[in-house]
Amino acid sequence: MAEHIQVTRALFDEVMVPNYAPAPIIPVRGQGSRVWDQAGREYIDFAGGIAVNALGHCHPALVSALKAQADKLWHLSNVMTNEPALRLAQKLVDSTFAEKVYFANSGAEANEAALKLARRWALDKFGAQKQQIISFGKSFHGRTFFTVTVGGQAAYSDGFGPKPGAIDHAEYNNLESLKALISDNTCAVILEPLQGEGGIIPGELEFLQGVRDLCNQFNALMIYDEVQSGVGRTGKLYAYMHTNVVPDILTTAKSLGGGFPIGAMLTTTEIASHLKVGTHGSTYGGNPLACAVAEAALDTINQPEVLNGVLEREKLFRRELAAINEKHNVFSTVRGQGMLLGAVLNDEFKGRSRDFFLASADQGLFALVAGPDVIRFAPSLVIPEADIIEGMKRFEKAVAQVKQG
Ligand SMILES: Cc1ncc(COP(=O)(O)O)c(C=O)c1O
């Protein structure tokens, strides 16, 4: 019986598949940007569940939407539609370039749908030879076999047997490397406008515009993976809105549900028309609970004061990080946008991001890494100023701890 089970970190190693290596503590409660573990120790959350808890923990609007929906209707499957899904779809259409929405349960699934759609669109319109998908080194698009193969790190897709084919990788922010690969046989180019897992690497405007132009030239779809950069994280609802570059397909997840699993693929009516009845689907996609929470999250985040607040918080983060760096000289630069920032370790500390991550946890702060050289911050979009300042005090102690060895 559940009450008699002693839940400890050691239990993880006994009963869980060992594909994760979770931290030694077990959090049990969260409020805003603070989290408490089993021992009652309090942490400040600069990680946001890896860019997911866009409104912090237990935001009243999300709790209330979830509770209200929980009393009404949980699940139908897609043999019927439901009100929260259609309301959310309408709001996504109203606030983006898109005319059509497909709901999934995660970022990987949203990308899986996007890639399948691109292949089908190309097959229908141009024939079977147009199937090449181009993505970029260091990109991350999820862990299904298709999306992980499309992702830019072979180490994640090796060792599972034959990979899906017709996938090539160009170098991010290097238009020439894309030009060398793209042709009339390319059906889609997929990229993150701001690479997340790869190290918080912003796409240069000229590069993004160049990708758009090449896609137009070769009749290839441009897919923006905004799973990490989307839903207000960069200070606009989607990162593409900072530029004039508009994709053909956009995927979104993470912050969309504020902590409740949901993903979505957004596209135009013409492109969407190629996923005909029965060509793709999901039991849970568009689940009423998920969509009700996501609707509340979108309503709350898609407000000028919240989006502008993200940019204000970015300034404070950058100021605090600059002050820490002035004292301790550990970063070469801080890059990213809004509440998706990466402090890049300088030569002396290269390869040691995990040490900073562990020292931060020791000091009562959740941070993240983005590869071995970057400490990543992806906190709540509405994190209070006082929590940023207190979190940075803890981060400075963590930096000092790493320096002392
Ligand atoms: C850009 C990007 N795409 C896709 C994914 C995969 O999302 P999920 O883990 O929800 O499948 C991630 C997750 O980190 C991501 O950062």
Side-chain angles (χ1 to χ4, degrees):
M1 241 154 280
E3 300 90 280
H4 302 304
I5 295 174
Q6 269 276 330
V7 179
T8 61
R9 174 60 181 77
L11 186 59
F12 179 95
D13 296 330
E14 283 174 40
V15 299
M16 298 291 283
V17 171
N19 61 314
Y20 302 117
I25 58 143
I26 300 184
V28 291
R29 188 166 71 81
Q31 190 62 54
S33 285
R34 308 242 172 179
V35 175
W36 290 264
D37 71 10
Q38 287 174 313
R41 181 161 184 223
E42 175 242 279
Y43 298 81
I44 291 188
D45 188 359
F46 280 2
I50 318 190
V52 167
N53 302 313
L55 294 169
H57 299 272
C58 297
H59 188 284
L62 304 195
V63 172
S64 138
L66 182 61
K67 286 183 172 166
Q69 189 60 40
D71 281 334
K72 282 190 204 157
L73 184 70
W74 284 34
H75 180 77
L76 293 162
S77 93
N78 286 298
V79 294
M80 271 162 274
T81 190
N82 67 78
E83 291 183 356
L86 295 184
R87 280 200 307 266
L88 176 61
Q90 181 69 63
K91 289 177 181 181
L92 287 167
V93 163
D94 289 345
S95 3
T96 66
F97 75 96
E99 298 161 324
K100 291 281 192 278
V101 179
Y102 167 82
F103 286 122
N105 312 290
S106 65
E109 284 180 56
N111 284 329
E112 184 83 17
L115 296 165
K116 283 179 71 179
L117 171 57
R119 283 265 175 88
R120 185 55 67 97
W121 169 89
L123 178 71
D124 287 351
K125 289 186 64 137
F126 301 92
Q129 79 293 344
K130 194 174 176 70
Q131 53 176 246
Q132 184 198 33
I133 289 166
I134 302 178
S135 80
F136 294 90
K138 293 195 174 171
S139 67
F140 186 80
H141 300 297
R143 296 282 197 158
T144 65
F145 205 22
F146 196 0
T147 57
V148 81
T149 306
V150 167
Q153 296 191 55
Y156 291 159
S157 54
D158 286 347
F160 298 104
K163 296 181 189 183
I167 297 166
D168 290 300
H169 296 92
E171 193 186 332
Y172 196 67
N173 278 331
N174 179 345
L175 215 46
E176 292 307 314
S177 76
L178 176 59
K179 277 187 194 156
L181 288 174
I182 197 166
S183 75
D184 286 332
N185 291 338
T186 306
C187 77
V189 178
I190 181 169
L191 70 163
E192 299 156 80
L194 191 180
Q195 286 194 330
E197 301 302 311
I200 312 295
I201 304 169
E204 290 159 13
L205 184 54
E206 212 173 298
F207 170 71
L208 301 173
Q209 185 64 59
V211 175
R212 177 69 274 177
D213 293 344
L214 285 169
C215 285
N216 292 349
Q217 187 182 336
F218 290 99
N219 282 321
L221 297 180
M222 183 178 188
I223 305 174
Y224 258 4
D225 177 344
E226 291 232 31
V227 166
Q228 188 152 164
S229 61
V231 199
R233 189 142 296 277
T234 66
K236 298 268 189 196
L237 187 62
Y238 286 98
Y240 85 85
M241 294 171 176
H242 291 283
T243 70
N244 290 322
V245 178
V246 180
D248 300 300
I249 301 178
L250 182 149
T251 55
T252 176
K254 286 191 182 279
S255 293
L256 182 60
F260 201 101
I262 183 169
M265 174 187 72
L266 315 182
T267 189
T268 64
T269 301
E270 195 282 315
I271 297 167
S273 70
H274 296 271
L275 270 194
K276 296 193 171 55
V277 172
T279 52
H280 192 59
S282 152
T283 295
Y284 286 118
N287 167 279
L289 284 172
C291 291
V293 176
E295 184 191 3
L298 188 65
D299 285 346
T300 310
I301 293 166
N302 198 18
Q303 301 293 338
E305 58 279 13
V306 173
L307 297 173
N308 292 334
V310 170
L311 299 175
E312 288 306 312
R313 286 165 176 79
E314 175 186 352
K315 284 186 204 149
L316 182 55
F317 254 82
R318 284 182 179 275
R319 265 206 310 274
E320 293 285 319
L321 286 170
I324 291 172
N325 204 33
E326 202 144 294
K327 257 200 203 160
H328 296 282
N329 190 23
V330 283
F331 315 129
S332 56
T333 185
V334 174
R335 62 193 181 202
Q337 202 171 19
M339 289 291 88
L340 186 55
L341 296 174
V344 184
L345 295 169
N346 64 20
D347 285 345
E348 192 184 340
F349 294 93
K350 249 193 171 60
R352 295 190 60 192
S353 63
R354 194 168 163 78
D355 293 343
F356 287 85
F357 162 81
L358 292 172
S360 297
D362 271 359
Q363 297 297 339
L365 177 73
F366 293 168
L368 292 166
V369 305
D373 304 329
V374 179
I375 305 158
R376 173 173 35 162
F377 303 103
S380 156
L381 308 182
V382 295
I383 182 171
E385 191 177 312
D387 288 359
I388 298 178
I389 288 170
E390 173 58 25
M392 284 296 176
K393 277 191 193 144
R394 297 180 190 187
F395 186 58
E396 184 177 348
K397 287 187 191 154
V399 169
Q401 185 179 324
V402 172
K403 284 187 77 177
Q404 276 158 20

mmCIF file of all heavy atoms in Angstrom, residues 141-169:
data_model
loop_
_atom_site.group_PDB
_atom_site.id
_atom_site.type_symbol
_atom_site.label_atom_id
_atom_site.label_comp_id
_atom_site.label_asym_id
_atom_site.label_seq_id
_atom_site.Cartn_x
_atom_site.Cartn_y
_atom_site.Cartn_z
ATOM 1 N N HIS A 141 15.285 17.608 -31.004
ATOM 2 C CA HIS A 141 13.876 17.642 -31.393
ATOM 3 C C HIS A 141 13.038 16.583 -30.692
ATOM 4 O O HIS A 141 11.859 16.425 -31.021
ATOM 5 C CB HIS A 141 13.759 17.500 -32.913
ATOM 6 C CG HIS A 141 14.453 18.602 -33.665
ATOM 7 N ND1 HIS A 141 14.068 19.923 -33.556
ATOM 8 C CD2 HIS A 141 15.526 18.597 -34.488
ATOM 9 C CE1 HIS A 141 14.864 20.678 -34.308
ATOM 10 N NE2 HIS A 141 15.761 19.897 -34.880
ATOM 11 N N GLY A 142 13.631 15.838 -29.747
ATOM 12 C CA GLY A 142 12.846 14.848 -29.012
ATOM 13 C C GLY A 142 13.487 13.477 -29.090
ATOM 14 O O GLY A 142 14.558 13.311 -29.690
ATOM 15 N N ARG A 143 12.829 12.498 -28.500
ATOM 16 C CA ARG A 143 13.437 11.174 -28.347
ATOM 17 C C ARG A 143 12.682 10.041 -29.027
ATOM 18 O O ARG A 143 12.995 8.882 -28.805
ATOM 19 C CB ARG A 143 13.560 10.854 -26.856
ATOM 20 C CG ARG A 143 14.486 11.778 -26.093
ATOM 21 C CD ARG A 143 15.931 11.445 -26.317
ATOM 22 N NE ARG A 143 16.750 12.058 -25.282
ATOM 23 C CZ ARG A 143 17.954 11.648 -24.930
ATOM 24 N NH1 ARG A 143 18.496 10.622 -25.534
ATOM 25 N NH2 ARG A 143 18.626 12.267 -23.996
ATOM 26 N N THR A 144 11.634 10.339 -29.810
ATOM 27 C CA THR A 144 11.111 9.264 -30.647
ATOM 28 C C THR A 144 12.204 8.965 -31.668
ATOM 29 O O THR A 144 13.111 9.780 -31.877
ATOM 30 C CB THR A 144 9.822 9.688 -31.386
ATOM 31 O OG1 THR A 144 10.149 10.743 -32.298
ATOM 32 C CG2 THR A 144 8.740 10.158 -30.417
ATOM 33 N N PHE A 145 12.108 7.796 -32.312
ATOM 34 C CA PHE A 145 13.246 7.419 -33.153
ATOM 35 C C PHE A 145 13.415 8.353 -34.351
ATOM 36 O O PHE A 145 14.529 8.640 -34.791
ATOM 37 C CB PHE A 145 13.118 5.958 -33.581
ATOM 38 C CG PHE A 145 14.443 5.324 -33.908
ATOM 39 C CD1 PHE A 145 15.642 5.827 -33.413
ATOM 40 C CD2 PHE A 145 14.499 4.191 -34.698
ATOM 41 C CE1 PHE A 145 16.862 5.240 -33.704
ATOM 42 C CE2 PHE A 145 15.714 3.592 -34.997
ATOM 43 C CZ PHE A 145 16.897 4.121 -34.504
ATOM 44 N N PHE A 146 12.287 8.836 -34.866
ATOM 45 C CA PHE A 146 12.347 9.779 -35.991
ATOM 46 C C PHE A 146 12.947 11.105 -35.503
ATOM 47 O O PHE A 146 13.922 11.609 -36.060
ATOM 48 C CB PHE A 146 10.933 9.986 -36.553
ATOM 49 C CG PHE A 146 10.844 10.609 -37.930
ATOM 50 C CD1 PHE A 146 11.969 10.977 -38.657
ATOM 51 C CD2 PHE A 146 9.589 10.816 -38.511
ATOM 52 C CE1 PHE A 146 11.854 11.548 -39.921
ATOM 53 C CE2 PHE A 146 9.466 11.381 -39.773
ATOM 54 C CZ PHE A 146 10.605 11.757 -40.472
ATOM 55 N N THR A 147 12.388 11.661 -34.422
ATOM 56 C CA THR A 147 12.845 12.992 -33.995
ATOM 57 C C THR A 147 14.284 12.959 -33.479
ATOM 58 O O THR A 147 15.033 13.904 -33.675
ATOM 59 C CB THR A 147 11.921 13.595 -32.917
ATOM 60 O OG1 THR A 147 11.849 12.706 -31.791
ATOM 61 C CG2 THR A 147 10.531 13.844 -33.448
ATOM 62 N N VAL A 148 14.669 11.877 -32.831
ATOM 63 C CA VAL A 148 16.031 11.830 -32.282
ATOM 64 C C VAL A 148 17.045 11.637 -33.416
ATOM 65 O O VAL A 148 18.184 12.092 -33.335
ATOM 66 C CB VAL A 148 16.152 10.747 -31.182
ATOM 67 C CG1 VAL A 148 16.352 9.349 -31.750
ATOM 68 C CG2 VAL A 148 17.294 11.078 -30.222
ATOM 69 N N THR A 149 16.617 11.003 -34.497
ATOM 70 C CA THR A 149 17.497 10.857 -35.655
ATOM 71 C C THR A 149 17.621 12.195 -36.386
ATOM 72 O O THR A 149 18.699 12.557 -36.872
ATOM 73 C CB THR A 149 16.957 9.763 -36.600
ATOM 74 O OG1 THR A 149 16.763 8.571 -35.837
ATOM 75 C CG2 THR A 149 17.929 9.468 -37.727
ATOM 76 N N VAL A 150 16.519 12.919 -36.425
ATOM 77 C CA VAL A 150 16.564 14.256 -37.026
ATOM 78 C C VAL A 150 17.424 15.187 -36.164
ATOM 79 O O VAL A 150 18.125 16.062 -36.667
ATOM 80 C CB VAL A 150 15.121 14.801 -37.205
ATOM 81 C CG1 VAL A 150 15.134 16.289 -37.514
ATOM 82 C CG2 VAL A 150 14.402 14.035 -38.316
ATOM 83 N N GLY A 151 17.407 15.004 -34.862
ATOM 84 C CA GLY A 151 18.215 15.829 -33.953
ATOM 85 C C GLY A 151 19.683 15.760 -34.314
ATOM 86 O O GLY A 151 20.151 14.821 -34.960
ATOM 87 N N GLY A 152 20.404 16.772 -33.882
ATOM 88 C CA GLY A 152 21.775 16.932 -34.351
ATOM 89 C C GLY A 152 22.842 16.272 -33.515
ATOM 90 O O GLY A 152 23.989 16.694 -33.537
ATOM 91 N N GLN A 153 22.502 15.237 -32.741
ATOM 92 C CA GLN A 153 23.536 14.550 -31.963
ATOM 93 C C GLN A 153 23.388 13.047 -32.163
ATOM 94 O O GLN A 153 22.539 12.410 -31.531
ATOM 95 C CB GLN A 153 23.404 14.906 -30.489
ATOM 96 C CG GLN A 153 23.650 16.387 -30.233
ATOM 97 C CD GLN A 153 23.782 16.703 -28.760
ATOM 98 O OE1 GLN A 153 24.593 16.122 -28.064
ATOM 99 N NE2 GLN A 153 22.934 17.615 -28.297
ATOM 100 N N ALA A 154 24.233 12.523 -33.030
ATOM 101 C CA ALA A 154 24.129 11.108 -33.392
ATOM 102 C C ALA A 154 24.211 10.209 -32.157
ATOM 103 O O ALA A 154 23.599 9.139 -32.123
ATOM 104 C CB ALA A 154 25.227 10.750 -34.377
ATOM 105 N N ALA A 155 24.930 10.649 -31.138
ATOM 106 C CA ALA A 155 25.094 9.819 -29.929
ATOM 107 C C ALA A 155 23.730 9.438 -29.331
ATOM 108 O O ALA A 155 23.584 8.366 -28.739
ATOM 109 C CB ALA A 155 25.923 10.562 -28.902
ATOM 110 N N TYR A 156 22.742 10.305 -29.484
ATOM 111 C CA TYR A 156 21.415 10.009 -28.934
ATOM 112 C C TYR A 156 20.625 9.003 -29.777
ATOM 113 O O TYR A 156 19.681 8.396 -29.288
ATOM 114 C CB TYR A 156 20.575 11.286 -28.814
ATOM 115 C CG TYR A 156 21.024 12.273 -27.771
ATOM 116 C CD1 TYR A 156 20.633 13.610 -27.848
ATOM 117 C CD2 TYR A 156 21.830 11.888 -26.697
ATOM 118 C CE1 TYR A 156 21.033 14.542 -26.897
ATOM 119 C CE2 TYR A 156 22.237 12.805 -25.747
ATOM 120 C CZ TYR A 156 21.837 14.130 -25.855
ATOM 121 O OH TYR A 156 22.226 15.048 -24.907
ATOM 122 N N SER A 157 20.980 8.892 -31.063
ATOM 123 C CA SER A 157 20.190 8.005 -31.929
ATOM 124 C C SER A 157 20.932 6.722 -32.296
ATOM 125 O O SER A 157 20.335 5.790 -32.836
ATOM 126 C CB SER A 157 19.758 8.749 -33.196
ATOM 127 O OG SER A 157 20.876 9.305 -33.838
ATOM 128 N N ASP A 158 22.223 6.664 -31.960
ATOM 129 C CA ASP A 158 23.001 5.454 -32.259
ATOM 130 C C ASP A 158 22.583 4.314 -31.329
ATOM 131 O O ASP A 158 22.165 4.547 -30.190
ATOM 132 C CB ASP A 158 24.501 5.709 -32.038
ATOM 133 C CG ASP A 158 25.113 6.573 -33.141
ATOM 134 O OD1 ASP A 158 24.450 6.755 -34.173
ATOM 135 O OD2 ASP A 158 26.240 7.061 -32.943
ATOM 136 N N GLY A 159 22.722 3.088 -31.842
ATOM 137 C CA GLY A 159 22.560 1.934 -30.955
ATOM 138 C C GLY A 159 21.140 1.434 -30.818
ATOM 139 O O GLY A 159 20.814 0.698 -29.887
ATOM 140 N N PHE A 160 20.290 1.848 -31.735
ATOM 141 C CA PHE A 160 18.907 1.367 -31.688
ATOM 142 C C PHE A 160 18.494 0.718 -33.004
ATOM 143 O O PHE A 160 17.319 0.678 -33.343
ATOM 144 C CB PHE A 160 17.941 2.517 -31.356
ATOM 145 C CG PHE A 160 18.172 3.142 -30.007
ATOM 146 C CD1 PHE A 160 18.801 4.369 -29.887
ATOM 147 C CD2 PHE A 160 17.757 2.501 -28.851
ATOM 148 C CE1 PHE A 160 19.017 4.945 -28.642
ATOM 149 C CE2 PHE A 160 17.966 3.059 -27.599
ATOM 150 C CZ PHE A 160 18.601 4.284 -27.489
ATOM 151 N N GLY A 161 19.455 0.258 -33.764
ATOM 152 C CA GLY A 161 19.110 -0.382 -35.026
ATOM 153 C C GLY A 161 18.999 0.623 -36.152
ATOM 154 O O GLY A 161 19.407 1.776 -36.017
ATOM 155 N N PRO A 162 18.423 0.160 -37.286
ATOM 156 C CA PRO A 162 18.385 1.012 -38.483
ATOM 157 C C PRO A 162 17.603 2.297 -38.232
ATOM 158 O O PRO A 162 16.500 2.260 -37.679
ATOM 159 C CB PRO A 162 17.662 0.151 -39.531
ATOM 160 C CG PRO A 162 17.578 -1.217 -38.954
ATOM 161 C CD PRO A 162 17.793 -1.146 -37.487
ATOM 162 N N LYS A 163 18.195 3.402 -38.664
ATOM 163 C CA LYS A 163 17.546 4.700 -38.430
ATOM 164 C C LYS A 163 16.643 5.074 -39.597
ATOM 165 O O LYS A 163 16.904 4.672 -40.731
ATOM 166 C CB LYS A 163 18.620 5.780 -38.294
ATOM 167 C CG LYS A 163 19.518 5.598 -37.100
ATOM 168 C CD LYS A 163 20.534 6.730 -37.017
ATOM 169 C CE LYS A 163 21.558 6.412 -35.947
ATOM 170 N NZ LYS A 163 22.533 7.480 -35.763
ATOM 171 N N PRO A 164 15.628 5.899 -39.346
ATOM 172 C CA PRO A 164 14.862 6.461 -40.456
ATOM 173 C C PRO A 164 15.830 7.168 -41.404
ATOM 174 O O PRO A 164 16.795 7.790 -40.952
ATOM 175 C CB PRO A 164 13.931 7.476 -39.783
ATOM 176 C CG PRO A 164 13.922 7.123 -38.334
ATOM 177 C CD PRO A 164 15.198 6.413 -38.036
ATOM 178 N N GLY A 165 15.562 7.072 -42.699
ATOM 179 C CA GLY A 165 16.525 7.581 -43.681
ATOM 180 C C GLY A 165 16.186 8.959 -44.214
ATOM 181 O O GLY A 165 15.229 9.605 -43.767
ATOM 182 N N ALA A 166 16.983 9.378 -45.193
ATOM 183 C CA ALA A 166 16.797 10.659 -45.893
ATOM 184 C C ALA A 166 16.822 11.849 -44.932
ATOM 185 O O ALA A 166 16.017 12.776 -45.044
ATOM 186 C CB ALA A 166 15.506 10.641 -46.726
ATOM 187 N N ILE A 167 17.725 11.773 -43.957
ATOM 188 C CA ILE A 167 17.880 12.864 -42.990
ATOM 189 C C ILE A 167 19.336 13.336 -43.058
ATOM 190 O O ILE A 167 20.257 12.526 -42.942
ATOM 191 C CB ILE A 167 17.556 12.377 -41.557
ATOM 192 C CG1 ILE A 167 16.089 11.933 -41.474
ATOM 193 C CG2 ILE A 167 17.862 13.467 -40.530
ATOM 194 C CD1 ILE A 167 15.763 11.136 -40.235
ATOM 195 N N ASP A 168 19.533 14.624 -43.257
ATOM 196 C CA ASP A 168 20.891 15.171 -43.316
ATOM 197 C C ASP A 168 21.030 16.342 -42.354
ATOM 198 O O ASP A 168 20.035 16.990 -42.005
ATOM 199 C CB ASP A 168 21.205 15.638 -44.749
ATOM 200 C CG ASP A 168 21.349 14.451 -45.692
ATOM 201 O OD1 ASP A 168 22.233 13.615 -45.458
ATOM 202 O OD2 ASP A 168 20.532 14.351 -46.644
ATOM 203 N N HIS A 169 22.275 16.595 -41.972
ATOM 204 C CA HIS A 169 22.524 17.653 -40.987
ATOM 205 C C HIS A 169 23.468 18.709 -41.549
ATOM 206 O O HIS A 169 24.550 18.383 -42.021
ATOM 207 C CB HIS A 169 23.113 17.045 -39.708
ATOM 208 C CG HIS A 169 22.148 16.124 -39.036
ATOM 209 N ND1 HIS A 169 22.122 14.774 -39.289
ATOM 210 C CD2 HIS A 169 21.153 16.374 -38.161
ATOM 211 C CE1 HIS A 169 21.139 14.233 -38.579
ATOM 212 N NE2 HIS A 169 20.542 15.177 -37.892
#
